[in-house]
Amino acid sequence: MTVSLRRQRVRDATLRELISVSRGILTDQGAEALTIRAVAREMGMTPPGVYRYFDSHRTLLDAVVVAVLEELTEHIVSAVDHVDAADTAGRLIAASRALRNWAVEHGAEFHLSWFVSSPDEGASVGRARRQVGRLFADVFSGVWRDYGPAPLPPEQLSPATERPARRLLEQLETELPSPSAAVAFTRCWLRLYGMVSVESLGLTRAIGDDAGELFEAELADLARTLGLPATALGTGR
């Protein structure tokens, strides 16, 4: 092994450890505690040593967010891959439950990765966020092909609903086969994401829902809206 390769391996290992330590501080103490000085102290380094890897607090925070979102994406992909490719309904249900389960178990990281943003955050954060939404759009596309198009009432398919749906797909850098599909996906994604966000903050547990029954009720309603078979809800719970 050459000296340069050895040094790169050491650097990469230190970088991974810095991100891991930063994530631990975030989880245990909150976003306000995540500072360059705090990370340096946990690592046994000096702040200038940390700055050799991250030139600002923002780039450190971005690296943690990207790592969190990549883990979330991998968790959802793993859940979907355990369902037969032909069972598009089951794959959507599995993806939805995987998103919920991960978010509930990693509430602090989920909140940081989706809700803590600023104008100076790096492009890598946007890419990592888009890959989660794009994954759901891809799964939804299979459902729409096999079970749709679900009939939408006139008030749900109008310029007022098509514009934000088109904008969402532009942000995700993906496509769906029709305006109806785009509107249906947008409404489903917002309902699902909204429910998961509320539960990840602990608000449903505060009113006695410790097992995610409200999420399951919402998921069942979405399944009925899309015309999915009742057997799909038995997948992966």
Side-chain angles (χ1 to χ4, degrees), residues 154-175:
E155 67 273 13
Q156 292 185 22
L157 187 60
S158 68
T161 57
E162 288 183 36
R163 278 193 298 271
R166 185 166 58 249
R167 179 60 178 151
L168 174 61
L169 295 183
E170 289 172 355
Q171 290 178 346
L172 297 180
E173 299 178 352
T174 191
E175 296 181 358

Side-chain angles (χ1 to χ4, degrees), residues 21-107:
V21 166
S22 300
R23 182 171 172 177
I25 293 173
L26 164 73
T27 303
D28 297 337
Q29 303 175 47
E32 66 282 353
L34 181 57
T35 65
I36 294 290
R37 186 172 297 278
V39 173
R41 185 168 55 249
E42 289 290 328
M43 289 285 295
M45 299 171 65
T46 63
V50 177
Y51 277 114
R52 285 200 292 269
Y53 292 85
F54 300 103
D55 59 13
S56 68
H57 174 265
R58 182 70 247 182
T59 57
L60 171 63
L61 188 59
D62 284 354
V64 176
V65 170
V66 169
V68 166
L69 288 169
E70 287 179 347
E71 180 182 304
L72 171 59
T73 301
E74 291 171 4
H75 180 75
I76 298 170
V77 168
S78 177
V80 171
D81 285 348
H82 278 84
V83 181
D84 190 286
D87 183 9
T88 53
R91 288 165 76 86
L92 179 61
I93 298 300
S96 301
R97 285 177 175 151
L99 172 66
R100 179 259 170 190
N101 293 340
W102 193 94
V104 169
E105 292 175 7
H106 304 84

Side-chain angles (χ1 to χ4, degrees), residues 20 40 63 118 169 206 210:
S20 177
S118 70
L169 295 183
D210 297 320

Side-chain angles (χ1 to χ4, degrees), residues 148-229:
L152 295 177
E155 67 273 13
Q156 292 185 22
L157 187 60
S158 68
T161 57
E162 288 183 36
R163 278 193 298 271
R166 185 166 58 249
R167 179 60 178 151
L168 174 61
L169 295 183
E170 289 172 355
Q171 290 178 346
L172 297 180
E173 299 178 352
T174 191
E175 296 181 358
L176 284 169
S178 68
S180 294
V183 170
F185 167 70
T186 299
R187 296 189 71 243
C188 289
W189 174 240
L190 291 178
R191 286 177 65 183
L192 174 67
Y193 177 66
M195 187 68 209
V196 168
S197 298
V198 166
E199 191 172 3
S200 73
L201 292 172
L203 300 181
T204 55
R205 290 191 296 280
I207 58 174
D209 178 23
D210 297 320
E213 295 302 327
L214 289 173
F215 172 83
E216 285 297 320
E218 190 72 8
L219 189 58
D221 189 54
L222 286 175
R224 285 190 295 271
T225 299
L226 294 172
L228 306 187

Side-chain angles (χ1 to χ4, degrees), residues 108-121:
E109 296 104 311
F110 184 80
H111 181 80
L112 171 80
S113 61
W114 287 99
F115 298 108
V116 178
S117 61
S118 70
D120 63 337
E121 71 181 15

